[in-house]
Amino acid sequence: MNKNERFYENQQCDGICPVKKTAEIIDGKWTTQVIRELLSGKKRYSEVQRALDGISPKVLTSRLRMLESKKLLTRTIYATVPPTTEYELTKLGEKLELVIYAMAKFGEELRE
Amino acid sequence: MNKNERFYENQQCDGICPVKKTAEIIDGKWTTQVIRELLSGKKRYSEVQRALDGISPKVLTSRLRMLESKKLLTRTIYATVPPTTEYELTKLGEKLELVIYAMAKFGEELRE
DNA sequence: GTACGTACTTCCTTTAGTATAGTAACATCC
DNA sequence: GGATGTTACTATACTAAAGGAAGTACGTAC
């Protein structure tokens, strides 16, 4: 980390700061958890919904659509009956694993 | 990352998930930026306010108090005139650097 | 006595999230 | 053959939280 110890200084955050851009993506109560679910492989809408106990369909749909619009995941609809939809992280979206991983490691430090 | 490749799986997120705990801390438009400012050393209230263009005093105060209550930073008031307050990350708070660093790296990938 | 700096607080609006109900298309149960 | 179930949503109504604009209290300097 030494060679990057000054990455967080002001001048690097003029205009649009990379930290801010990432913060805007992972902002909200559920976004990180949706991403975490998809890190273990593509999943259907209902699978994500069941895994994230308590998320409302409105919020889940809005988070998935937001991530799709940012090219972090793809949405594939299958014309089965009833129709199913699969969500899968893109290569870009998979790079969020490093962020989620850092968050998980920090979260473990918080046990008291 | 191989030895930890399954860190994000469900069973590790039963109860209170570490990712969720970290997400609750860094949630919001300004929290990560406040932390980033303090990563380069202790700062006064007004210094943080000037660095984060557009933040309202109410939001800044609430973020700083929240971080203080979670033991991520300390607040020291000096009886000068006018009084000054210094905010400094604790050892625990400094560990957020790894999270912010991962966020910065990801944010750089988003340039298009 | 008015203007300034610091560290806030109060008020109000906007946004995020919750809860619940409903839709379309078919398949199976009774 | 009508009722019920499944999937992936959409719609509506409500509440709680976040955030922005503006004001406050305390003193110094001039």
Side-chain angles (χ1 to χ4, degrees):
Chain A
M1 183 78 54
N2 275 341
K3 53 193 165 188
N4 291 300
E5 63 186 353
R6 305 233 168 276
F7 76 89
Y8 40 71
E9 289 204 344
N10 257 351
Q11 61 276 17
Q12 298 203 17
C13 280
D14 289 346
I16 298 160
C17 163
V19 175
K20 192 172 181 177
K21 282 161 74 176
T22 306
E24 282 168 7
I25 285 171
I26 66 173
D27 189 47
K29 183 174 175 180
W30 294 105
T31 314
T32 49
Q33 297 185 83
V34 170
I35 295 162
R36 181 179 51 72
E37 279 309 310
L38 294 174
L39 281 174
S40 55
K42 63 182 164 190
K43 291 216 167 65
R44 300 209 324 239
Y45 182 93
S46 55
E47 288 180 296
V48 179
Q49 191 175 29
R50 266 190 297 272
L52 303 180
D53 192 46
I55 194 169
S56 72
K58 177 188 165 182
V59 172
L60 180 53
T61 299
S62 79
R63 293 302 102 181
L64 289 167
R65 294 288 161 84
M66 181 273 289
L67 293 168
E68 187 192 6
S69 76
K70 306 238 183 202
K71 313 281 188 203
L72 300 175
L73 57 78
T74 55
R75 178 167 171 259
T76 313
I77 302 164
Y78 295 96
T80 55
V81 170
T84 55
T85 315
E86 266 184 358
Y87 295 92
E88 186 170 20
L89 290 178
T90 60
K91 288 223 163 186
L92 181 60
E94 281 172 6
K95 290 180 179 166
L96 276 166
E97 178 164 13
L98 295 166
V99 176
I100 305 284
Y101 182 74
M103 289 175 70
K105 282 289 159 198
F106 180 79
E108 285 165 15
E109 303 268 356
L110 292 176
R111 299 187 194 289
E112 64 252 40
Chain B
M1 184 78 52
N2 275 342
K3 51 194 166 188
N4 292 299
E5 63 186 354
R6 305 234 169 277
F7 76 89
Y8 40 69
E9 290 204 344
N10 259 350
Q11 61 276 17
Q12 299 203 17
C13 280
D14 290 347
I16 298 160
C17 163
V19 175
K20 194 172 181 178
K21 282 160 75 177
T22 305
E24 282 167 8
I25 285 172
I26 66 172
D27 188 49
K29 184 175 175 181
W30 294 105
T31 314
T32 50
Q33 297 185 83
V34 170
I35 295 161
R36 181 179 51 71
E37 279 309 309
L38 293 175
L39 281 174
S40 54
K42 64 181 164 191
K43 290 216 168 64
R44 301 209 324 240
Y45 182 95
S46 55
E47 288 179 296
V48 179
Q49 191 176 30
R50 265 190 298 274
L52 304 180
D53 192 47
I55 194 170
S56 75
K58 181 208 158 173
V59 172
L60 180 53
T61 299
S62 79
R63 294 300 102 184
L64 289 167
R65 293 288 161 84
M66 181 273 288
L67 293 169
E68 186 192 7
S69 76
K70 306 238 181 203
K71 313 282 187 202
L72 300 174
L73 57 77
T74 56
R75 177 167 170 260
T76 313
I77 303 163
Y78 296 96
T80 55
V81 169
T84 55
T85 316
E86 265 185 0
Y87 296 91
E88 185 171 19
L89 290 177
T90 60
K91 287 223 163 184
L92 181 61
E94 281 172 6
K95 290 180 179 166
L96 276 165
E97 177 164 12
L98 295 166
V99 176
I100 306 282
Y101 181 76
M103 289 176 69
K105 282 289 160 198
F106 180 79
E108 285 165 15
E109 303 268 357
L110 292 176
R111 299 186 195 289
E112 64 253 39

